[in-house]
Amino acid sequence: MRFVPIHHAVPVVVLLAGATFLSGPALAAGPDFQYVGQDDRVHGVTAPRGCVEAEGGGARAVTNGTRSAATLYEGPRCSGRALRVLRPGEVGQVRPYFASVRFSVTG
């Protein structure tokens, strides 16, 4: 059995921790707009623009990680009643259900 002195093992731990820290944001990056669909699965859209078909709502979460407001509509193709507007960075629920989302254009 071979003993490894602690002072040699510490730099390896520090390097591993640093590598994990540096790679964390890259691994955490995901879709800009996320919602739990009516199929109870998480769905996401990266860099959404204009009107996007998305079916979710009820007691399910919606996350607007974009830089623009997201208006959720009851009908497809952003038709029907606007149910809720989620500001950039806002998380919430939309009741009863939504079928599409329009993202405002930002400059």
Side-chain angles (χ1 to χ4, degrees):
M1 181 171 183
R2 183 174 170 208
F3 291 98
V4 178
I6 299 283
H7 67 280
H8 290 293
V10 171
V12 173
V13 172
V14 171
L15 287 175
L16 289 174
T20 302
F21 174 74
L22 292 176
S23 65
L27 295 174
D32 298 321
F33 181 79
Q34 293 183 355
Y35 63 96
V36 178
Q38 292 181 359
D39 59 0
D40 290 328
R41 296 178 61 194
V42 176
H43 298 272
V45 182
T46 301
R49 292 176 184 244
C51 184
V52 176
E53 300 300 310
E55 295 182 359
R60 298 168 180 96
V62 179
T63 303
N64 182 15
T66 69
R67 294 182 182 180
S68 63
T71 305
L72 295 101
Y73 290 88
E74 67 180 351
R77 296 177 300 282
C78 297
S79 65
R81 192 168 46 112
L83 301 171
R84 181 167 181 182
V85 177
L86 290 175
R87 296 180 312 247
E90 187 176 4
V91 177
Q93 294 177 340
V94 179
R95 293 179 189 259
Y97 295 97
F98 61 91
S100 56
V101 184
R102 178 170 303 282
F103 296 90
S104 62
V105 179
T106 57

